[in-house]
Structure formats: structure tokens, C-alpha cells
Amino acid sequence: MNDHSVLKNQRETTDQPPAPSAESEAAAPPRLAPPPKIHHDAFTWELPAEEITLRIRWFGLCVGYVLVNFVGNDAAIQVPQLNWILTLGAIYALADTWFSFRGKVFLGEWPLIISVMEALFIGLLCHYDTGLNSPFRFYYLLSLIVCSIRHSPLIAYVTLALHLLSYTTLLFPLQNAPPDWLTQILLMVVWMGWVAWASIAFSSLVKRTSLELSVANEQLKQNQELLEDRIARRTSDLQESQALLIQQEKHAAFGLLAAGIAHEVGNPLAGISSLVQLLNRHNNDEYTNKRLDEVDAQLRRIQRILRELIDFSRPATTERNRCYINEVITESLNIAKYYKRKKGKKIITRFAENLPPVQLVRDQLVQVFLNLILNAMDATEEGQSIEITTEARDGQILISVHDNGEGIKEVDKEKLFRPYFTTKSKGTGLGLFVCRNILEHSNTGTIRIDDTVSEGAKFVVALYCEEVKDLGEIPPGPAQELKFVTT
């Protein structure tokens, strides 16, 4: 039903996306799916055209009733027949209106049937009116305008031929043809031909403009989606950079604080240790020597804690060194033993034996494992356990931290690694995000949550290691409960 001769070339040119430049390809994010093809279907073109058609038809019917019943006074006019014909036209217009309200076009798939019905309808009106001179002959022009708006030029020209045939047949019933009948027919031929040509040209212009607007609207929507996607990406990158900056600032402040504490506490400790050693040189009784040994042991404990604190807070390095994964985890556990929520919780290790040393950034891995261990301690209560397992499989070293706490809700699992998302009342929401960022940005490995566990939560860190690719599988070792010596 559409003006395919007008729209065909436009579709072929607009359906192809423009070739992106090398600069835009490098700067832009992955493109979205191409927009759907632009075309004028029944919804985008025929229904708006149907609204114009209905208004013209109802206007013609109202004018017809007025002409027949109130204006016309010629004795040749057959009023009852004209009213019946107009009533049939009104019934058709009602059916067309009802279909339009339902979002359909009445007889839209058979436009020539409509053209034949209109030619017959207008011809009968002219016949029962005054023949060639009937004012109803101008209905032919309205019909051509409507047909040109709704259908293709071919249908419009066929409708023109039908209307010329209908108007010409008005000569046959006339016994006394008017002397200017040839002039009237020629004038109607000129009028109808000009109206058909002008209406087709105008309709083609409107359809072409509508198509161009549709294409521009689709391109605008696509650009809007690309812009929104780019803004979302930039916002996410900004949030991640901000989170990393905050974490780095915290570590830097923590390092300065730890160094200051070590300096301020170290001097008094050195003085106390010297005094204890001087006292030990005297001939003291057994009870006094025992008490002095206990004081010396506690001083060494404080010095060890300060040393571990300083080692953890020293400036991080990105230099890769050969290290043993089990030792790195043990170092993280030695730092975590001072966490206040460790009390009353079992820590079980199942370290794989004979794991080779690997080239990794030790400080970064200590931070990753420490975050996972502290999260596990927060998720468990007294009497519950945390199991840490290492193994080698598929050319990777797998480290899992499994606690039997309350677990993580399904709705929260996809948000776990986003910055500032936390399920703790006093959490920062940066621990897991920093873990993922360290592993992925340094191309060290990946971190994920294991969805197969039925109790608690289990996080698995997979490290890319060339050293274990040829060793096959190395299973976890026997379970051992870790005992911290803190006194």
C-alpha cells in the first residue's frame, strides 16, 4: 500500500550504518546493536492518512446532505434516491471509522475495490442530481486527493481512470445532452488529472519527509543510547578510580601512623628492655628472675607486633618476586590474628603440598587474602569455622576461603564486586572491589564467588601461573586447625 517508488532508494541508503573512522573506533566503547530498518508500515503511515480520509469523507457527506435537502431546488433532483445513496456512504464511513478506532484500515488491502465503490457512489450521486453539471462531480477530486495520500501513484492513476470512466458514463442516460458537454468533460479531465498529479507529488514529498524524519529520529535514539552507555561507563570508571584513591590514601595514612607508633613506642620499649637486662645481671632470687623473664617475653611480643604492623604498612611495590602461596596466606593470617572478631572461631587450612614458587607481587596478594579472611571473620560467629584451601588445577593455583556463616543473598551476589557496596553495618564496600581490581589489573588472576556451596560463602581466587602448567593436578593437603600464639 506504500509509495515504494519513493521510499525504496531512501531505505537502501538509510539502512546501512555509516562507516566509522579509525579515531572514533579507538575512542568509542563497543557499539550497540544496529537500529531496526526504517519503513512506513500501517501504523506509521496508513493510520495517520486514514484520519485525514475520514475527515474528508464525513465533510463530503455533511455537505451532500445539506445540498440535497436544504440548498438544491432543481426539479430534476431526485431527493429520496440521493438520501439513500448518501446514507449508504454514511454506513461505509461508520465502518471505516470503527476500524480506525481499532487501529486498522477498512479494506486497506484492497484499495482498488474502494476506488470502484467511490467511482460508483459519486457517479450515482451525479446521475440522480443534475448529471454532468452536478456539484457532486467535485467529489471525484476529493476521492483522488484521498487516494493519493493513502496509496501508491499506480493506485492513484488507476483510480483517476475509473473516475473519468464513471463521469463519462453520465452522458449515456441523458436524452438531451447539453451543448457544452464536451467542454465539461474536457475540463473535468484536466481538473482530475491535475489534482491527481499534484496530490501524488505532495504525498510523495510528505512521505519522503516522514521517512527522513524517522531515520533522523532513529539515529538520534541510537546516539542517545550510545551517549548514555558512555556516560555510565565513565561514571563507573570514575567511581572505581575514586575508590582506589581512597583505599590508597587510607593505606598511606595507615603506614605513616604505624611508623609513628613504632618510633614512639620503640624508644620506651628499648629503655625498658635495657633495664630488664641490667636487672637480670644481678643475683636475684628465683621468683624475681622468673618475673623478669616474663617481662622480657612480653616486650619481645610487642616488638614482634610492631614489626608485623610496619611490614604490612610499608609502601607497596609492583615488582614480581618468587614466593610460595602458602607462605603468603600464612602472612595474611598472622596479620588477621590481631582482628578483634577472630576470637572463638576456628581457622582450618588445607594447603596443597609441593606447590612450586611462582612469580607474583607478594604485597598485593597479602592484601587480597587479608581482605577475604577479614570478611570471613565478620561473617561468622563464635564456634563457627573458616576453611582456607590451596590446590593446583588446569594450569592455575586455586585458593578458596570458605566460611560457614549466614551466606550471601542471591540479589546481592551480582553487586559484591562493585565499589561501596557492602552488607555490613560498618563496612566500606571496598574490600572485594580492591581484591578484584588488584588481580585483574595486574593480570595476576581472577576472583569469583562459588555458587555451588549450600552453606556460608566461598570465594575462589584463581592465579595464572606458568610454573604449574606442566605439573598436573595438586590436590589440597590434610586439614589442620591453625593455632595462633599471641601470648
Side-chain angles (χ1 to χ4, degrees), residues 44-174:
T44 60
W45 179 254
E46 288 192 357
L47 289 181
E50 180 68 10
E51 294 181 4
I52 300 175
T53 301
L54 288 174
R55 294 179 183 182
I56 293 177
R57 282 178 179 163
W58 283 111
F59 172 77
L61 289 171
C62 293
V63 172
Y65 277 113
V66 172
L67 289 175
V68 170
N69 298 286
F70 301 101
V71 178
N73 54 6
D74 194 328
I77 296 177
Q78 303 181 43
V79 175
Q81 289 84 345
L82 290 174
N83 282 326
W84 275 109
I85 295 171
L86 289 172
T87 302
L88 291 176
I91 294 174
Y92 174 81
L94 285 172
D96 203 359
T97 304
W98 185 72
F99 271 82
S100 178
F101 285 154
R102 298 182 59 191
K104 299 180 181 179
V105 179
F106 184 53
L107 297 178
E109 298 180 359
W110 298 281
L112 290 178
I113 294 179
I114 299 176
S115 299
V116 172
M117 292 172 58
E118 289 180 347
L120 181 61
F121 172 74
I122 300 172
L124 289 175
L125 286 176
C126 293
H127 172 72
Y128 286 107
D129 192 45
T130 57
L132 295 176
N133 295 323
S134 173
F136 289 111
R137 69 184 185 276
F138 295 106
Y139 280 19
Y140 288 117
L141 306 181
L142 296 178
S143 176
L144 287 172
I145 293 174
V146 169
C147 184
S148 300
I149 293 175
R150 294 183 58 187
H151 306 303
S152 66
L154 177 61
I155 300 298
Y157 285 123
V158 172
T159 302
L160 172 63
L162 291 173
H163 287 359
L164 290 174
L165 179 63
S166 172
Y167 184 72
T168 305
T169 55
L170 293 176
L171 284 171
F172 297 106
L174 296 178

Side-chain angles (χ1 to χ4, degrees), residues 306-359:
L306 289 176
R307 187 170 56 254
E308 292 174 349
L309 185 64
I310 294 173
D311 290 340
F312 175 70
S313 61
R314 71 180 183 271
T317 176
T318 58
E319 182 181 356
R320 291 176 178 262
N321 297 309
R322 293 176 64 84
C323 55
Y324 292 90
I325 295 300
N326 294 343
E327 293 181 358
V328 174
I329 300 174
T330 303
E331 182 177 345
S332 301
L333 288 169
N334 286 332
I335 300 172
K337 69 184 178 182
Y338 301 113
Y339 188 44
K340 62 181 180 180
R341 295 208 59 185
K342 181 192 71 67
K343 183 179 178 181
K345 299 170 185 178
K346 297 180 181 179
I347 297 181
I348 301 173
T349 59
R350 298 185 62 200
F351 291 160
E353 299 177 354
N354 300 322
L355 281 178
V358 292
Q359 286 289 126

Side-chain angles (χ1 to χ4, degrees), residues 271-456:
I272 297 173
S273 178
S274 299
L275 291 175
V276 170
Q277 293 176 10
L278 288 174
L279 291 174
N280 275 331
R281 293 176 182 176
H282 292 79
N283 294 324
N284 302 315
D285 56 81
E286 182 180 357
Y287 177 82
T288 301
N289 288 333
K290 186 176 181 181
R291 300 285 84 80
L292 290 174
D293 290 340
E294 291 179 357
V295 172
D296 188 57
Q298 294 301 321
L299 289 174
R300 287 196 299 271
R301 177 192 172 194
I302 296 174
Q303 290 173 346
R304 184 175 65 252
I305 293 174
L306 289 176
R307 187 170 56 254
E308 292 174 349
L309 185 64
I310 294 173
D311 290 340
F312 175 70
S313 61
R314 71 180 183 271
T317 176
T318 58
E319 182 181 356
R320 291 176 178 262
N321 297 309
R322 293 176 64 84
C323 55
Y324 292 90
I325 295 300
N326 294 343
E327 293 181 358
V328 174
I329 300 174
T330 303
E331 182 177 345
S332 301
L333 288 169
N334 286 332
I335 300 172
K337 69 184 178 182
Y338 301 113
Y339 188 44
K340 62 181 180 180
R341 295 208 59 185
K342 181 192 71 67
K343 183 179 178 181
K345 299 170 185 178
K346 297 180 181 179
I347 297 181
I348 301 173
T349 59
R350 298 185 62 200
F351 291 160
E353 299 177 354
N354 300 322
L355 281 178
V358 292
Q359 286 289 126
L360 295 170
V361 182
R362 185 184 185 93
D363 290 344
Q364 292 181 346
L365 289 181
V366 170
Q367 183 177 353
V368 169
F369 298 137
L370 177 61
N371 284 338
L372 294 178
I373 293 169
L374 294 182
N375 284 344
M377 289 182 178
D378 287 333
T380 52
E381 302 295 337
E382 291 192 20
Q384 294 181 325
S385 62
I386 300 170
E387 183 176 299
I388 304 174
T389 303
T390 62
E391 59 181 314
R393 187 171 66 242
D394 300 330
Q396 297 177 332
I397 294 180
L398 303 180
I399 304 96
S400 63
V401 179
H402 183 197
D403 65 78
N404 57 358
E406 295 182 359
I408 301 172
K409 298 179 181 178
E410 289 294 331
V411 295
D412 293 335
K413 287 184 178 180
E414 61 181 15
K415 308 175 186 177
L416 284 176
F417 298 98
R418 296 179 185 176
Y420 304 113
F421 175 79
T422 180
T423 57
K424 306 177 188 177
S425 58
K426 298 182 180 180
T428 62
L430 295 176
L432 291 176
F433 164 73
V434 170
C435 291
R436 186 195 64 177
N437 189 79
I438 289 175
L439 293 172
E440 294 183 356
H441 285 203
S442 62
N443 198 29
T444 302
T446 60
I447 182 173
R448 62 179 176 85
I449 184 171
D450 191 348
D451 293 327
T452 61
V453 296
S454 58
E455 182 182 4

